[in-house]
Amino acid sequence: ELKVEQNPLFLSMQEGKNYTIYCNYSTTSDRLYWYRQDPGKSLESLFVLLSNGAVKQEGRLMASLDTKARLSTLHITAAVHDLSATYFCAVEEVGNDMRFGAGTRLTVKP
Amino acid sequence: EAQVTQNPRYLITVTGKKLTVTCSQNMNHEYMSWYRQDPGLGLRQIYYSMNVEVTDKGDVPEGYKVSRKEKRNFPLILESPSPNQTSLYFCASSLSMGGEQYFGPGTRLTVT
């Protein structure tokens, strides 16, 4: 059974600092997604990673995928308050259902 | 405007009273999916559909039904709701399986 583990689950950082959120999964897959959810809102797609070694960047966020290690990372550079949200990774096993991590609640403090 | 809509947005009902949550997308997407979100558990997939008349069970399908008679609509049916189905439900769609998903605004369901 596909399991997806994110860590940390809670992250409090200061503005301007860098940090990484990790997403580990248990079976072979080359389809990984990152989403953002603001409190009381729906989910917004951030990145779609579809191959080993894929790296995508948008603003202060960069996501990467290592299918051999079954690991994806979401790196935050020089955090700002606007990045405060909950971040989810999700893994899709080909031909099967989508599994989400429990989410990382990020708080960026001034 | 490209969007996924869900109705109703909020619903309080009683155990055993059948209900349907509608989901509609206007992007001609083939893939549609239903999730439930519970605190500490992230999102769990209930059912998904890769195209019209094709539906498959996700991680937590028990107690739910779906249908995909038209490409744009993917209703979620609870034949006999129970309190453990109290949750926040999201519908999502994408061009195909493996694509970026667009989520609806969510339906908060309470079953008493």
PDB file of all heavy atoms in Angstrom, chain A residues 1 31 33 35 37 41-43 45 48 50 88 92 95-102, chain B residues 35 37 40-43 45 48 57-59 90 97-101 103-105:
ATOM      1  N   GLU A   1       0.848  -1.193   0.000  1.00  0.00           N
ATOM      2  CA  GLU A   1       0.000   0.000   0.000  1.00  0.00           C
ATOM      3  C   GLU A   1       0.888   1.249   0.000  1.00  0.00           C
ATOM      4  O   GLU A   1       1.852   1.332   0.736  1.00  0.00           O
ATOM      5  CB  GLU A   1      -0.895   0.000   1.231  1.00  0.00           C
ATOM      6  CG  GLU A   1      -1.820   1.207   1.304  1.00  0.00           C
ATOM      7  CD  GLU A   1      -2.562   1.254   2.627  1.00  0.00           C
ATOM      8  OE1 GLU A   1      -2.941   0.194   3.152  1.00  0.00           O
ATOM      9  OE2 GLU A   1      -2.760   2.364   3.134  1.00  0.00           O
ATOM     10  N   ARG A  31       5.240  10.299 -10.317  1.00  0.00           N
ATOM     11  CA  ARG A  31       4.286  11.407 -10.421  1.00  0.00           C
ATOM     12  C   ARG A  31       4.057  11.974  -9.032  1.00  0.00           C
ATOM     13  O   ARG A  31       3.422  11.344  -8.190  1.00  0.00           O
ATOM     14  CB  ARG A  31       2.969  10.920 -11.004  1.00  0.00           C
ATOM     15  CG  ARG A  31       3.099  10.398 -12.415  1.00  0.00           C
ATOM     16  CD  ARG A  31       1.775   9.986 -12.963  1.00  0.00           C
ATOM     17  NE  ARG A  31       1.924   9.488 -14.326  1.00  0.00           N
ATOM     18  CZ  ARG A  31       0.906   9.198 -15.115  1.00  0.00           C
ATOM     19  NH1 ARG A  31      -0.327   9.363 -14.672  1.00  0.00           N
ATOM     20  NH2 ARG A  31       1.107   8.759 -16.326  1.00  0.00           N
ATOM     21  N   TYR A  33       3.124  15.614  -6.746  1.00  0.00           N
ATOM     22  CA  TYR A  33       2.471  16.923  -6.824  1.00  0.00           C
ATOM     23  C   TYR A  33       2.645  17.661  -5.499  1.00  0.00           C
ATOM     24  O   TYR A  33       2.652  17.046  -4.434  1.00  0.00           O
ATOM     25  CB  TYR A  33       0.974  16.755  -7.098  1.00  0.00           C
ATOM     26  CG  TYR A  33       0.668  15.831  -8.255  1.00  0.00           C
ATOM     27  CD1 TYR A  33       0.634  14.459  -8.074  1.00  0.00           C
ATOM     28  CD2 TYR A  33       0.413  16.344  -9.523  1.00  0.00           C
ATOM     29  CE1 TYR A  33       0.359  13.605  -9.132  1.00  0.00           C
ATOM     30  CE2 TYR A  33       0.135  15.500 -10.584  1.00  0.00           C
ATOM     31  CZ  TYR A  33       0.110  14.133 -10.378  1.00  0.00           C
ATOM     32  OH  TYR A  33      -0.163  13.302 -11.437  1.00  0.00           O
ATOM     33  N   TYR A  35       0.875  20.946  -3.377  1.00  0.00           N
ATOM     34  CA  TYR A  35      -0.256  21.849  -3.312  1.00  0.00           C
ATOM     35  C   TYR A  35      -0.110  22.761  -2.117  1.00  0.00           C
ATOM     36  O   TYR A  35       0.524  22.422  -1.122  1.00  0.00           O
ATOM     37  CB  TYR A  35      -1.572  21.077  -3.174  1.00  0.00           C
ATOM     38  CG  TYR A  35      -1.925  20.236  -4.366  1.00  0.00           C
ATOM     39  CD1 TYR A  35      -1.519  18.903  -4.443  1.00  0.00           C
ATOM     40  CD2 TYR A  35      -2.667  20.765  -5.415  1.00  0.00           C
ATOM     41  CE1 TYR A  35      -1.846  18.119  -5.529  1.00  0.00           C
ATOM     42  CE2 TYR A  35      -2.996  19.986  -6.511  1.00  0.00           C
ATOM     43  CZ  TYR A  35      -2.584  18.671  -6.559  1.00  0.00           C
ATOM     44  OH  TYR A  35      -2.917  17.906  -7.649  1.00  0.00           O
ATOM     45  N   GLN A  37      -2.508  25.135   0.596  1.00  0.00           N
ATOM     46  CA  GLN A  37      -3.855  25.415   1.079  1.00  0.00           C
ATOM     47  C   GLN A  37      -3.798  26.510   2.133  1.00  0.00           C
ATOM     48  O   GLN A  37      -3.144  26.364   3.164  1.00  0.00           O
ATOM     49  CB  GLN A  37      -4.509  24.155   1.671  1.00  0.00           C
ATOM     50  CG  GLN A  37      -5.962  24.373   2.067  1.00  0.00           C
ATOM     51  CD  GLN A  37      -6.612  23.117   2.622  1.00  0.00           C
ATOM     52  OE1 GLN A  37      -5.974  22.315   3.301  1.00  0.00           O
ATOM     53  NE2 GLN A  37      -7.894  22.924   2.337  1.00  0.00           N
ATOM     54  N   LYS A  41      -9.580  27.679   2.843  1.00  0.00           N
ATOM     55  CA  LYS A  41      -9.641  27.747   1.372  1.00  0.00           C
ATOM     56  C   LYS A  41      -9.426  26.387   0.745  1.00  0.00           C
ATOM     57  O   LYS A  41      -9.153  25.400   1.429  1.00  0.00           O
ATOM     58  CB  LYS A  41      -8.553  28.706   0.860  1.00  0.00           C
ATOM     59  CG  LYS A  41      -8.621  30.102   1.425  1.00  0.00           C
ATOM     60  CD  LYS A  41      -9.802  30.869   0.870  1.00  0.00           C
ATOM     61  CE  LYS A  41      -9.771  32.314   1.329  1.00  0.00           C
ATOM     62  NZ  LYS A  41     -10.951  33.061   0.869  1.00  0.00           N
ATOM     63  N   SER A  42      -9.541  26.367  -0.557  1.00  0.00           N
ATOM     64  CA  SER A  42      -9.315  25.137  -1.299  1.00  0.00           C
ATOM     65  C   SER A  42      -7.820  24.953  -1.569  1.00  0.00           C
ATOM     66  O   SER A  42      -6.994  25.713  -1.075  1.00  0.00           O
ATOM     67  CB  SER A  42     -10.089  25.198  -2.618  1.00  0.00           C
ATOM     68  OG  SER A  42     -10.012  23.979  -3.291  1.00  0.00           O
ATOM     69  N   LEU A  43      -7.488  23.926  -2.325  1.00  0.00           N
ATOM     70  CA  LEU A  43      -6.090  23.653  -2.644  1.00  0.00           C
ATOM     71  C   LEU A  43      -5.711  24.275  -3.975  1.00  0.00           C
ATOM     72  O   LEU A  43      -6.497  24.286  -4.924  1.00  0.00           O
ATOM     73  CB  LEU A  43      -5.843  22.146  -2.714  1.00  0.00           C
ATOM     74  CG  LEU A  43      -5.655  21.450  -1.380  1.00  0.00           C
ATOM     75  CD1 LEU A  43      -7.003  21.156  -0.749  1.00  0.00           C
ATOM     76  CD2 LEU A  43      -4.867  20.160  -1.571  1.00  0.00           C
ATOM     77  N   SER A  45      -2.680  24.189  -6.911  1.00  0.00           N
ATOM     78  CA  SER A  45      -1.550  23.420  -7.420  1.00  0.00           C
ATOM     79  C   SER A  45      -0.304  24.293  -7.485  1.00  0.00           C
ATOM     80  O   SER A  45      -0.336  25.424  -7.986  1.00  0.00           O
ATOM     81  CB  SER A  45      -1.884  22.891  -8.810  1.00  0.00           C
ATOM     82  OG  SER A  45      -0.784  22.219  -9.370  1.00  0.00           O
ATOM     83  N   VAL A  48       4.006  20.129 -10.476  1.00  0.00           N
ATOM     84  CA  VAL A  48       3.779  18.760 -10.941  1.00  0.00           C
ATOM     85  C   VAL A  48       5.133  18.220 -11.366  1.00  0.00           C
ATOM     86  O   VAL A  48       5.789  18.810 -12.243  1.00  0.00           O
ATOM     87  CB  VAL A  48       2.797  18.722 -12.130  1.00  0.00           C
ATOM     88  CG1 VAL A  48       2.604  17.291 -12.613  1.00  0.00           C
ATOM     89  CG2 VAL A  48       1.464  19.338 -11.738  1.00  0.00           C
ATOM     90  N   LEU A  50       7.103  14.980 -12.842  1.00  0.00           N
ATOM     91  CA  LEU A  50       6.738  13.759 -13.552  1.00  0.00           C
ATOM     92  C   LEU A  50       7.912  12.877 -13.946  1.00  0.00           C
ATOM     93  O   LEU A  50       7.725  11.925 -14.721  1.00  0.00           O
ATOM     94  CB  LEU A  50       5.912  14.111 -14.800  1.00  0.00           C
ATOM     95  CG  LEU A  50       4.577  14.817 -14.532  1.00  0.00           C
ATOM     96  CD1 LEU A  50       3.893  15.153 -15.849  1.00  0.00           C
ATOM     97  CD2 LEU A  50       3.672  13.953 -13.673  1.00  0.00           C
ATOM     98  N   PHE A  88       0.931  20.462   0.949  1.00  0.00           N
ATOM     99  CA  PHE A  88       0.716  19.024   0.812  1.00  0.00           C
ATOM    100  C   PHE A  88       1.503  18.477  -0.367  1.00  0.00           C
ATOM    101  O   PHE A  88       1.539  19.103  -1.435  1.00  0.00           O
ATOM    102  CB  PHE A  88      -0.760  18.716   0.542  1.00  0.00           C
ATOM    103  CG  PHE A  88      -1.687  19.007   1.680  1.00  0.00           C
ATOM    104  CD1 PHE A  88      -2.371  20.211   1.740  1.00  0.00           C
ATOM    105  CD2 PHE A  88      -1.892  18.075   2.678  1.00  0.00           C
ATOM    106  CE1 PHE A  88      -3.237  20.486   2.791  1.00  0.00           C
ATOM    107  CE2 PHE A  88      -2.761  18.335   3.728  1.00  0.00           C
ATOM    108  CZ  PHE A  88      -3.431  19.544   3.783  1.00  0.00           C
ATOM    109  N   GLU A  92       1.004   9.763  -6.964  1.00  0.00           N
ATOM    110  CA  GLU A  92       0.090   8.937  -7.738  1.00  0.00           C
ATOM    111  C   GLU A  92       0.830   7.715  -8.243  1.00  0.00           C
ATOM    112  O   GLU A  92       1.830   7.830  -8.941  1.00  0.00           O
ATOM    113  CB  GLU A  92      -0.438   9.746  -8.914  1.00  0.00           C
ATOM    114  CG  GLU A  92      -1.407   8.999  -9.797  1.00  0.00           C
ATOM    115  CD  GLU A  92      -1.724   9.801 -11.039  1.00  0.00           C
ATOM    116  OE1 GLU A  92      -1.767  11.050 -10.957  1.00  0.00           O
ATOM    117  OE2 GLU A  92      -1.893   9.192 -12.088  1.00  0.00           O
ATOM    118  N   GLY A  95      -1.914   4.278 -12.620  1.00  0.00           N
ATOM    119  CA  GLY A  95      -3.110   3.464 -12.717  1.00  0.00           C
ATOM    120  C   GLY A  95      -3.858   3.287 -11.416  1.00  0.00           C
ATOM    121  O   GLY A  95      -4.861   2.575 -11.373  1.00  0.00           O
ATOM    122  N   ASN A  96      -3.392   3.946 -10.381  1.00  0.00           N
ATOM    123  CA  ASN A  96      -4.045   3.798  -9.087  1.00  0.00           C
ATOM    124  C   ASN A  96      -4.425   5.148  -8.501  1.00  0.00           C
ATOM    125  O   ASN A  96      -4.335   6.178  -9.150  1.00  0.00           O
ATOM    126  CB  ASN A  96      -3.128   3.032  -8.121  1.00  0.00           C
ATOM    127  CG  ASN A  96      -3.101   1.562  -8.425  1.00  0.00           C
ATOM    128  OD1 ASN A  96      -4.077   0.852  -8.277  1.00  0.00           O
ATOM    129  ND2 ASN A  96      -1.954   1.111  -8.888  1.00  0.00           N
ATOM    130  N   ASP A  97      -4.832   5.096  -7.260  1.00  0.00           N
ATOM    131  CA  ASP A  97      -5.353   6.313  -6.656  1.00  0.00           C
ATOM    132  C   ASP A  97      -4.229   7.264  -6.236  1.00  0.00           C
ATOM    133  O   ASP A  97      -3.054   6.943  -6.292  1.00  0.00           O
ATOM    134  CB  ASP A  97      -6.241   5.961  -5.462  1.00  0.00           C
ATOM    135  CG  ASP A  97      -5.509   5.142  -4.413  1.00  0.00           C
ATOM    136  OD1 ASP A  97      -4.495   4.506  -4.755  1.00  0.00           O
ATOM    137  OD2 ASP A  97      -5.951   5.149  -3.258  1.00  0.00           O
ATOM    138  N   MET A  98      -4.630   8.440  -5.822  1.00  0.00           N
ATOM    139  CA  MET A  98      -3.726   9.495  -5.406  1.00  0.00           C
ATOM    140  C   MET A  98      -3.660   9.483  -3.882  1.00  0.00           C
ATOM    141  O   MET A  98      -4.681   9.437  -3.214  1.00  0.00           O
ATOM    142  CB  MET A  98      -4.283  10.833  -5.880  1.00  0.00           C
ATOM    143  CG  MET A  98      -3.443  12.021  -5.551  1.00  0.00           C
ATOM    144  SD  MET A  98      -2.222  12.355  -6.814  1.00  0.00           S
ATOM    145  CE  MET A  98      -3.301  12.930  -8.103  1.00  0.00           C
ATOM    146  N   ARG A  99      -2.438   9.533  -3.324  1.00  0.00           N
ATOM    147  CA  ARG A  99      -2.286   9.586  -1.874  1.00  0.00           C
ATOM    148  C   ARG A  99      -1.603  10.889  -1.475  1.00  0.00           C
ATOM    149  O   ARG A  99      -0.567  11.245  -2.050  1.00  0.00           O
ATOM    150  CB  ARG A  99      -1.437   8.417  -1.370  1.00  0.00           C
ATOM    151  CG  ARG A  99      -2.051   7.062  -1.616  1.00  0.00           C
ATOM    152  CD  ARG A  99      -3.299   6.829  -0.782  1.00  0.00           C
ATOM    153  NE  ARG A  99      -3.956   5.590  -1.153  1.00  0.00           N
ATOM    154  CZ  ARG A  99      -3.793   4.449  -0.528  1.00  0.00           C
ATOM    155  NH1 ARG A  99      -3.004   4.382   0.538  1.00  0.00           N
ATOM    156  NH2 ARG A  99      -4.426   3.368  -0.933  1.00  0.00           N
ATOM    157  N   PHE A 100      -2.193  11.530  -0.473  1.00  0.00           N
ATOM    158  CA  PHE A 100      -1.649  12.787   0.015  1.00  0.00           C
ATOM    159  C   PHE A 100      -0.884  12.577   1.318  1.00  0.00           C
ATOM    160  O   PHE A 100      -1.221  11.689   2.119  1.00  0.00           O
ATOM    161  CB  PHE A 100      -2.782  13.778   0.305  1.00  0.00           C
ATOM    162  CG  PHE A 100      -3.297  14.490  -0.911  1.00  0.00           C
ATOM    163  CD1 PHE A 100      -4.051  13.823  -1.862  1.00  0.00           C
ATOM    164  CD2 PHE A 100      -3.025  15.831  -1.103  1.00  0.00           C
ATOM    165  CE1 PHE A 100      -4.525  14.481  -2.995  1.00  0.00           C
ATOM    166  CE2 PHE A 100      -3.507  16.502  -2.221  1.00  0.00           C
ATOM    167  CZ  PHE A 100      -4.251  15.833  -3.172  1.00  0.00           C
ATOM    168  N   GLY A 101       0.114  13.395   1.539  1.00  0.00           N
ATOM    169  CA  GLY A 101       0.729  13.479   2.845  1.00  0.00           C
ATOM    170  C   GLY A 101      -0.196  14.217   3.802  1.00  0.00           C
ATOM    171  O   GLY A 101      -1.207  14.795   3.383  1.00  0.00           O
ATOM    172  N   ALA A 102       0.160  14.211   5.075  1.00  0.00           N
ATOM    173  CA  ALA A 102      -0.700  14.823   6.095  1.00  0.00           C
ATOM    174  C   ALA A 102      -0.641  16.348   6.067  1.00  0.00           C
ATOM    175  O   ALA A 102      -1.479  17.011   6.678  1.00  0.00           O
ATOM    176  CB  ALA A 102      -0.316  14.310   7.479  1.00  0.00           C
TER     177      ALA A 102
ATOM    178  N   TYR B  35     -12.299  13.911  -2.878  1.00  0.00           N
ATOM    179  CA  TYR B  35     -11.467  13.717  -1.700  1.00  0.00           C
ATOM    180  C   TYR B  35     -12.245  14.157  -0.469  1.00  0.00           C
ATOM    181  O   TYR B  35     -13.121  15.014  -0.539  1.00  0.00           O
ATOM    182  CB  TYR B  35     -10.204  14.580  -1.783  1.00  0.00           C
ATOM    183  CG  TYR B  35      -9.321  14.300  -2.958  1.00  0.00           C
ATOM    184  CD1 TYR B  35      -9.485  14.988  -4.159  1.00  0.00           C
ATOM    185  CD2 TYR B  35      -8.304  13.358  -2.873  1.00  0.00           C
ATOM    186  CE1 TYR B  35      -8.676  14.731  -5.245  1.00  0.00           C
ATOM    187  CE2 TYR B  35      -7.479  13.101  -3.955  1.00  0.00           C
ATOM    188  CZ  TYR B  35      -7.681  13.796  -5.139  1.00  0.00           C
ATOM    189  OH  TYR B  35      -6.874  13.540  -6.214  1.00  0.00           O
ATOM    190  N   GLN B  37     -11.238  15.644   3.456  1.00  0.00           N
ATOM    191  CA  GLN B  37     -10.142  16.172   4.252  1.00  0.00           C
ATOM    192  C   GLN B  37     -10.549  16.187   5.713  1.00  0.00           C
ATOM    193  O   GLN B  37     -11.557  16.792   6.086  1.00  0.00           O
ATOM    194  CB  GLN B  37      -9.763  17.593   3.803  1.00  0.00           C
ATOM    195  CG  GLN B  37      -8.573  18.144   4.570  1.00  0.00           C
ATOM    196  CD  GLN B  37      -8.114  19.499   4.084  1.00  0.00           C
ATOM    197  OE1 GLN B  37      -8.888  20.280   3.527  1.00  0.00           O
ATOM    198  NE2 GLN B  37      -6.837  19.798   4.265  1.00  0.00           N
ATOM    199  N   GLY B  40      -5.404  16.357  10.458  1.00  0.00           N
ATOM    200  CA  GLY B  40      -4.305  15.430  10.733  1.00  0.00           C
ATOM    201  C   GLY B  40      -4.166  14.288   9.740  1.00  0.00           C
ATOM    202  O   GLY B  40      -3.201  13.530   9.808  1.00  0.00           O
ATOM    203  N   LEU B  41      -5.102  14.178   8.814  1.00  0.00           N
ATOM    204  CA  LEU B  41      -5.063  13.049   7.866  1.00  0.00           C
ATOM    205  C   LEU B  41      -4.801  13.492   6.436  1.00  0.00           C
ATOM    206  O   LEU B  41      -4.742  12.653   5.534  1.00  0.00           O
ATOM    207  CB  LEU B  41      -6.383  12.270   7.926  1.00  0.00           C
ATOM    208  CG  LEU B  41      -6.690  11.571   9.246  1.00  0.00           C
ATOM    209  CD1 LEU B  41      -8.067  10.899   9.184  1.00  0.00           C
ATOM    210  CD2 LEU B  41      -5.613  10.536   9.581  1.00  0.00           C
ATOM    211  N   GLY B  42      -4.670  14.754   6.205  1.00  0.00           N
ATOM    212  CA  GLY B  42      -4.483  15.212   4.835  1.00  0.00           C
ATOM    213  C   GLY B  42      -5.743  14.970   4.031  1.00  0.00           C
ATOM    214  O   GLY B  42      -6.854  14.933   4.561  1.00  0.00           O
ATOM    215  N   LEU B  43      -5.592  14.770   2.753  1.00  0.00           N
ATOM    216  CA  LEU B  43      -6.723  14.449   1.891  1.00  0.00           C
ATOM    217  C   LEU B  43      -6.689  12.976   1.546  1.00  0.00           C
ATOM    218  O   LEU B  43      -5.614  12.422   1.284  1.00  0.00           O
ATOM    219  CB  LEU B  43      -6.661  15.264   0.590  1.00  0.00           C
ATOM    220  CG  LEU B  43      -7.221  16.669   0.660  1.00  0.00           C
ATOM    221  CD1 LEU B  43      -6.200  17.612   1.268  1.00  0.00           C
ATOM    222  CD2 LEU B  43      -7.601  17.148  -0.728  1.00  0.00           C
ATOM    223  N   GLN B  45      -8.453  10.115  -1.038  1.00  0.00           N
ATOM    224  CA  GLN B  45      -9.242  10.009  -2.256  1.00  0.00           C
ATOM    225  C   GLN B  45     -10.381   9.019  -2.063  1.00  0.00           C
ATOM    226  O   GLN B  45     -10.176   7.901  -1.571  1.00  0.00           O
ATOM    227  CB  GLN B  45      -8.349   9.575  -3.414  1.00  0.00           C
ATOM    228  CG  GLN B  45      -8.994   9.736  -4.767  1.00  0.00           C
ATOM    229  CD  GLN B  45      -8.016   9.468  -5.890  1.00  0.00           C
ATOM    230  OE1 GLN B  45      -7.233   8.521  -5.833  1.00  0.00           O
ATOM    231  NE2 GLN B  45      -8.038  10.298  -6.912  1.00  0.00           N
ATOM    232  N   TYR B  48     -12.423   8.174  -8.165  1.00  0.00           N
ATOM    233  CA  TYR B  48     -11.961   8.983  -9.273  1.00  0.00           C
ATOM    234  C   TYR B  48     -12.528   8.427 -10.574  1.00  0.00           C
ATOM    235  O   TYR B  48     -13.017   7.286 -10.627  1.00  0.00           O
ATOM    236  CB  TYR B  48     -10.429   9.079  -9.329  1.00  0.00           C
ATOM    237  CG  TYR B  48      -9.687   7.770  -9.511  1.00  0.00           C
ATOM    238  CD1 TYR B  48      -9.269   7.349 -10.775  1.00  0.00           C
ATOM    239  CD2 TYR B  48      -9.370   6.986  -8.408  1.00  0.00           C
ATOM    240  CE1 TYR B  48      -8.569   6.172 -10.929  1.00  0.00           C
ATOM    241  CE2 TYR B  48      -8.672   5.795  -8.563  1.00  0.00           C
ATOM    242  CZ  TYR B  48      -8.265   5.398  -9.826  1.00  0.00           C
ATOM    243  OH  TYR B  48      -7.564   4.227  -9.978  1.00  0.00           O
ATOM    244  N   LYS B  57     -12.433   3.075  -7.459  1.00  0.00           N
ATOM    245  CA  LYS B  57     -12.351   3.370  -6.039  1.00  0.00           C
ATOM    246  C   LYS B  57     -11.003   3.970  -5.681  1.00  0.00           C
ATOM    247  O   LYS B  57      -9.975   3.563  -6.220  1.00  0.00           O
ATOM    248  CB  LYS B  57     -12.546   2.080  -5.220  1.00  0.00           C
ATOM    249  CG  LYS B  57     -13.922   1.459  -5.366  1.00  0.00           C
ATOM    250  CD  LYS B  57     -14.014   0.169  -4.571  1.00  0.00           C
ATOM    251  CE  LYS B  57     -15.394  -0.462  -4.726  1.00  0.00           C
ATOM    252  NZ  LYS B  57     -15.503  -1.741  -3.988  1.00  0.00           N
ATOM    253  N   GLY B  58     -11.050   4.921  -4.774  1.00  0.00           N
ATOM    254  CA  GLY B  58      -9.827   5.471  -4.225  1.00  0.00           C
ATOM    255  C   GLY B  58      -9.469   4.769  -2.935  1.00  0.00           C
ATOM    256  O   GLY B  58      -9.722   3.574  -2.764  1.00  0.00           O
ATOM    257  N   ASP B  59      -8.942   5.533  -2.015  1.00  0.00           N
ATOM    258  CA  ASP B  59      -8.463   4.980  -0.750  1.00  0.00           C
ATOM    259  C   ASP B  59      -9.593   4.681   0.232  1.00  0.00           C
ATOM    260  O   ASP B  59      -9.532   3.719   0.992  1.00  0.00           O
ATOM    261  CB  ASP B  59      -7.484   5.995  -0.142  1.00  0.00           C
ATOM    262  CG  ASP B  59      -6.751   5.457   1.054  1.00  0.00           C
ATOM    263  OD1 ASP B  59      -6.636   4.216   1.172  1.00  0.00           O
ATOM    264  OD2 ASP B  59      -6.276   6.257   1.867  1.00  0.00           O
ATOM    265  N   PHE B  90     -13.735  17.743  -1.177  1.00  0.00           N
ATOM    266  CA  PHE B  90     -13.264  18.489  -2.336  1.00  0.00           C
ATOM    267  C   PHE B  90     -13.408  17.654  -3.598  1.00  0.00           C
ATOM    268  O   PHE B  90     -13.068  16.473  -3.615  1.00  0.00           O
ATOM    269  CB  PHE B  90     -11.785  18.854  -2.193  1.00  0.00           C
ATOM    270  CG  PHE B  90     -11.516  19.937  -1.187  1.00  0.00           C
ATOM    271  CD1 PHE B  90     -11.022  19.628   0.064  1.00  0.00           C
ATOM    272  CD2 PHE B  90     -11.753  21.271  -1.508  1.00  0.00           C
ATOM    273  CE1 PHE B  90     -10.772  20.615   0.993  1.00  0.00           C
ATOM    274  CE2 PHE B  90     -11.501  22.272  -0.579  1.00  0.00           C
ATOM    275  CZ  PHE B  90     -11.018  21.933   0.672  1.00  0.00           C
ATOM    276  N   MET B  97      -5.319  11.891 -16.222  1.00  0.00           N
ATOM    277  CA  MET B  97      -4.673  11.376 -15.017  1.00  0.00           C
ATOM    278  C   MET B  97      -3.180  11.728 -15.119  1.00  0.00           C
ATOM    279  O   MET B  97      -2.579  11.583 -16.192  1.00  0.00           O
ATOM    280  CB  MET B  97      -4.855   9.865 -14.943  1.00  0.00           C
ATOM    281  CG  MET B  97      -4.622   9.300 -13.556  1.00  0.00           C
ATOM    282  SD  MET B  97      -5.122   7.580 -13.481  1.00  0.00           S
ATOM    283  CE  MET B  97      -5.084   7.299 -11.724  1.00  0.00           C
ATOM    284  N   GLY B  98      -2.621  12.208 -14.045  1.00  0.00           N
ATOM    285  CA  GLY B  98      -1.227  12.607 -14.088  1.00  0.00           C
ATOM    286  C   GLY B  98      -1.040  14.071 -14.407  1.00  0.00           C
ATOM    287  O   GLY B  98       0.080  14.536 -14.604  1.00  0.00           O
ATOM    288  N   GLY B  99      -2.120  14.813 -14.463  1.00  0.00           N
ATOM    289  CA  GLY B  99      -2.018  16.232 -14.745  1.00  0.00           C
ATOM    290  C   GLY B  99      -2.285  17.082 -13.508  1.00  0.00           C
ATOM    291  O   GLY B  99      -2.722  16.590 -12.475  1.00  0.00           O
ATOM    292  N   GLU B 100      -2.032  18.352 -13.650  1.00  0.00           N
ATOM    293  CA  GLU B 100      -2.293  19.301 -12.579  1.00  0.00           C
ATOM    294  C   GLU B 100      -3.785  19.315 -12.259  1.00  0.00           C
ATOM    295  O   GLU B 100      -4.615  19.455 -13.164  1.00  0.00           O
ATOM    296  CB  GLU B 100      -1.844  20.681 -13.038  1.00  0.00           C
ATOM    297  CG  GLU B 100      -2.101  21.797 -12.055  1.00  0.00           C
ATOM    298  CD  GLU B 100      -1.708  23.139 -12.638  1.00  0.00           C
ATOM    299  OE1 GLU B 100      -1.603  23.237 -13.879  1.00  0.00           O
ATOM    300  OE2 GLU B 100      -1.512  24.093 -11.861  1.00  0.00           O
ATOM    301  N   GLN B 101      -4.123  19.168 -11.002  1.00  0.00           N
ATOM    302  CA  GLN B 101      -5.524  19.129 -10.608  1.00  0.00           C
ATOM    303  C   GLN B 101      -6.011  20.508 -10.171  1.00  0.00           C
ATOM    304  O   GLN B 101      -5.301  21.246  -9.501  1.00  0.00           O
ATOM    305  CB  GLN B 101      -5.743  18.136  -9.465  1.00  0.00           C
ATOM    306  CG  GLN B 101      -5.643  16.689  -9.919  1.00  0.00           C
ATOM    307  CD  GLN B 101      -6.186  15.732  -8.887  1.00  0.00           C
ATOM    308  OE1 GLN B 101      -7.391  15.599  -8.691  1.00  0.00           O
ATOM    309  NE2 GLN B 101      -5.283  15.044  -8.214  1.00  0.00           N
ATOM    310  N   PHE B 103      -8.983  22.254  -7.990  1.00  0.00           N
ATOM    311  CA  PHE B 103      -9.899  21.873  -6.923  1.00  0.00           C
ATOM    312  C   PHE B 103     -11.092  22.818  -6.850  1.00  0.00           C
ATOM    313  O   PHE B 103     -10.980  24.020  -7.086  1.00  0.00           O
ATOM    314  CB  PHE B 103      -9.169  21.885  -5.579  1.00  0.00           C
ATOM    315  CG  PHE B 103      -8.330  20.668  -5.354  1.00  0.00           C
ATOM    316  CD1 PHE B 103      -7.098  20.520  -5.970  1.00  0.00           C
ATOM    317  CD2 PHE B 103      -8.774  19.643  -4.526  1.00  0.00           C
ATOM    318  CE1 PHE B 103      -6.325  19.385  -5.770  1.00  0.00           C
ATOM    319  CE2 PHE B 103      -8.015  18.509  -4.307  1.00  0.00           C
ATOM    320  CZ  PHE B 103      -6.780  18.386  -4.937  1.00  0.00           C
ATOM    321  N   GLY B 104     -12.233  22.236  -6.475  1.00  0.00           N
ATOM    322  CA  GLY B 104     -13.406  23.033  -6.178  1.00  0.00           C
ATOM    323  C   GLY B 104     -13.263  23.699  -4.821  1.00  0.00           C
ATOM    324  O   GLY B 104     -12.293  23.457  -4.100  1.00  0.00           O
ATOM    325  N   PRO B 105     -14.238  24.522  -4.437  1.00  0.00           N
ATOM    326  CA  PRO B 105     -14.137  25.299  -3.195  1.00  0.00           C
ATOM    327  C   PRO B 105     -14.364  24.487  -1.928  1.00  0.00           C
ATOM    328  O   PRO B 105     -14.069  24.960  -0.835  1.00  0.00           O
ATOM    329  CB  PRO B 105     -15.232  26.349  -3.361  1.00  0.00           C
ATOM    330  CG  PRO B 105     -16.231  25.696  -4.251  1.00  0.00           C
ATOM    331  CD  PRO B 105     -15.442  24.843  -5.197  1.00  0.00           C
TER     332      PRO B 105
END
